[in-house]
Amino acid sequence: MKALEALDRNHFPDEYAIHSDRIKELKPFLRAHGILDVMEIKNPEVAALIGA
């Protein structure tokens, strides 16, 4: 998630898309293991990707 926060989507659209897709892929695992129950997602873009 930190990798995505460090990227400017306008300057690095391909890299941003890769990291965004990976975060979306991890969403079911984060939910299944309760990570999202105990972790607050502060970045609104990341939170929107995982529906937090």
Side-chain angles (χ1 to χ4, degrees), residues 30-46:
L30 295 172
R31 289 215 184 278
H33 293 285
I35 302 291
L36 298 177
D37 295 331
V38 297
M39 183 178 154
E40 179 183 348
I41 307 298
K42 295 180 182 178
N43 183 297
E45 290 182 45
V46 174

